[in-house]
C-alpha cells in the first residue's frame, strides 16, 4: 500500500519555461522528501508543458495537470483539489526555495501543534538577494494574534508562498478566479480557519523580481483588483473580528496610499490618473470615518486619506508641480 505524501506543493505554471527547471529542482532538492509536486500547466504557449512532462517522467513524486488558460487562481484551485498531503504549500513557477524550507516549516507545525508555519521570503533582483533575515527567533501565536500580525505586516504579509498550511485551512475556501492579488483575497481567510500559527525568522522562499511582471511594471488597471479584495476583507474582518478593526483599517490605508503613489508616479495620462484614483476614492469614502478616528494611523496618513476622500485632484496638482521642479 502506497502511503500518501505528507506535503503537497502546488506550482501554477504559465509560460514559465526559462525559469521552471530551477523552480522544480529546488523543490525536488528539499531535505523533506515525503512530498508531492503538483504542476498545474495553465494553458502555457511556450515549452512549459513539455518541461512539466519531463519532470513527471523523472520523479514519481511529480504530478502534472494540464488545463486551458484560466489564471493563477484557477490553477491553485485545481492543485488544492488534487492535493493528497496533510499540508499544502505553494511555489510560483518562476521562483525557488531553499533546500530546508519545508523541513523547517513542517517541523514547526508538528512540534508546536500549529496549523500554519511561516518563514521570511527574500527578493532576488539581477541574480542578487537584496534582503536577509534578522536574528533568528521563533514566535508562536494564537488565532487572534496571528491575524493581528498578518495585518500589521511586520513579521509576514499576505503572500502564500512563504507559508505551509494544514489542509484543513482550505475548508470552504477557493481562490477568486479572474482576479489579480489573489493572495490578498484568500490568505486572511486561511488564517481565520486556523487555531494557531508559528513564525520562524529564516529565509526559505526566494521571490525573483522579473522586469515583465504586472506587479513590477507600469501601473495596470488590473492592480485595482486589490480594492475588490480589500472591501471584502474590511467588511468581513470588522464584522467577525471587531477587536482587530484598527489593524485591518490601517493595512487598508497603507495599501491605498501605496497605490496612490504608484498612480501619480507611473501613469502619465491625466485622465487615467483621475480614473484610477477615483477607483481608490470609492472604498476610502466607505470607510472614511473609521480611518480618520483610527488610533494607529499618524497624521500624515490621515492627511493623505482626507485628500483622496475630498479632492484627489489637489494631489495631482501638487505632484505635477513637484515633477516640474525636479526637471528644472
Amino acid at each position: 500500500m502506497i502511503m500518501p505524501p505528507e506535503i503537497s506543493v502546488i506550482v501554477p505554471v504559465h509560460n514559465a519555461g526559462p525559469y521552471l527547471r530551477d523552480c522544480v529542482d529546488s523543490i525536488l532538492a528539499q531535505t523533506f522528501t515525503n512530498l508531492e509536486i503538483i504542476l498545474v500547466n495553465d494553458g502555457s504557449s511556450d515549452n512549459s508543458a513539455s518541461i512539466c512532462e519531463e519532470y513527471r517522467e523523472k520523479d514519481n513524486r511529480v504530478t502534472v495537470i494540464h488545463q486551458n488558460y484560466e489564471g493563477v487562481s484557477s490553477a491553485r484551485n485545481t492543485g488544492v483539489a488534487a492535493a493528497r498531503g496533510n499540508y499544502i504549500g505553494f511555489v510560483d513557477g518562476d521562483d525557488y526555495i531553499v533546500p530546508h524550507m519545508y523541513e523547517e516549516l513542517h517541523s514547526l507545525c508538528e512540534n508546536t501543534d500549529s496549523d500554519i508555519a511561516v518563514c521570511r521570503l527574500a527578493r532576488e533582483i539581477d541574480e542578487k538577494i537584496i534582503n536577509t533575515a534578522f536574528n533568528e527567533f521563533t514566535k508562536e501565536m494564537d488565532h487572534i494574534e496571528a491575524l493581528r500580525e498578518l495585518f500589521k505586516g511586520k513579521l509576514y504579509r499576505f503572500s502564500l508562498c512563504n507559508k505551509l498550511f494544514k489542509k484543513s485551512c482550505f475548508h470552504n475556501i477557493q481562490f477568486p478566479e479572474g482576479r489579480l492579488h489573489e493572495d490578498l483575497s484568500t490568505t486572511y481567510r486561511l488564517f481565520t480557519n486556523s487555531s494557531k500559527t508559528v513564525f520562524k525568522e529564516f529565509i526559505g522562499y526566494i521571490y525573483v523580481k522579473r522586469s515583465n511582471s504586472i506587479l513590477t511594471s507600469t501601473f495596470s488597471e488590473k492592480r485595482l483588483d486589490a480594492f475588490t479584495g480589500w472591501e471584502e476583507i474590511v467588511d468581513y474582518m470588522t464584522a467577525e473580528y471587531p477587536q482587530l478593526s484598527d489593524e485591518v483599517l490601517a493595512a487598508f490605508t497603507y495599501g491605498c496610499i501605496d497605490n496612490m503613489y504608484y498612480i501619480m508616479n507611473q501613469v502619465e495620462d491625466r485622465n487615467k490618473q483621475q480614473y484610477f484614483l477615483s477607483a481608490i476614492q470609492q472604498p476610502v469614502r466607505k470607510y472614511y470615518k473609521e480611518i480618520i478616528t483610527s488610533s494607529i494611523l499618524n497624521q500624515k496618513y490621515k492627511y493623505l486619506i482626507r485628500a483622496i476622500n475630498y479632492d484627489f485632484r489637489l494631489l495631482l496638482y501638487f505632484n505635477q508641480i513637484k515633477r516640474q521642479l525636479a526637471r528644472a
Side-chain angles (χ1 to χ4, degrees), residues 224-328:
L224 297 175
D225 286 353
F227 294 96
T228 302
W230 270 117
E231 287 197 63
E232 293 171 356
I233 290 169
V234 175
D235 289 346
Y236 178 87
M237 291 297 297
T238 53
E240 300 295 327
Y241 298 91
Q243 68 271 49
L244 299 177
S245 292
D246 278 348
E247 287 84 358
V248 171
L249 286 164
F252 165 69
T253 300
Y254 299 144
C256 289
I257 302 305
D258 283 348
N259 279 277
M260 179 197 76
Y261 280 123
Y262 289 140
I263 291 166
M264 292 195 300
N265 294 321
Q266 295 180 359
V267 179
E268 294 295 333
D269 184 89
R270 187 65 175 262
N271 290 329
K272 284 187 176 181
Q273 285 180 334
Q274 293 194 26
Y275 171 73
F276 292 151
L277 287 172
S278 67
I280 297 176
Q281 186 183 60
Q282 182 179 349
V284 163
R285 285 180 167 173
K286 182 176 179 180
Y287 308 116
Y288 178 71
K289 186 180 295 184
E290 291 83 0
I291 292 170
I292 291 301
T293 57
S294 168
S295 61
I296 291 179
L297 292 167
N298 63 33
Q299 290 304 314
K300 173 187 173 182
Y301 284 102
K302 290 182 180 181
Y303 166 79
L304 292 170
I305 285 295
R306 285 190 182 96
I308 295 173
N309 181 64
Y310 289 112
D311 193 351
F312 57 75
R313 289 171 298 181
L314 288 173
L315 292 170
L316 294 175
Y317 173 72
F318 287 120
N319 190 60
Q320 186 178 28
I321 292 176
K322 181 181 175 182
R323 285 187 173 189
Q324 290 171 347
L325 290 173
R327 287 194 288 262

Side-chain angles (χ1 to χ4, degrees), residues 98-110:
V98 303
H100 63 284
M101 185 179 94
Y102 283 125
E103 182 176 18
E104 290 266 16
L105 294 180
H106 181 264
S107 177
L108 286 166
C109 282
E110 292 289 297

Side-chain angles (χ1 to χ4, degrees), residues 11-13 15-29 37 39 46-56 58 62 91-97 210:
V11 183
V13 178
N15 293 345
Y19 325 109
L20 186 55
R21 286 188 175 86
D22 288 341
C23 171
V24 180
D25 285 342
S26 75
I27 306 172
L28 291 175
I37 304 172
L39 302 176
D46 65 355
N47 63 339
S48 294
S50 61
I51 294 173
C52 290
E53 292 297 334
E54 172 191 320
Y55 278 96
R56 171 156 55 184
K58 183 187 297 185
V62 177
V91 180
D92 288 342
D94 53 356
D95 296 332
Y96 63 95
I97 56 179
R210 310 288 178 189

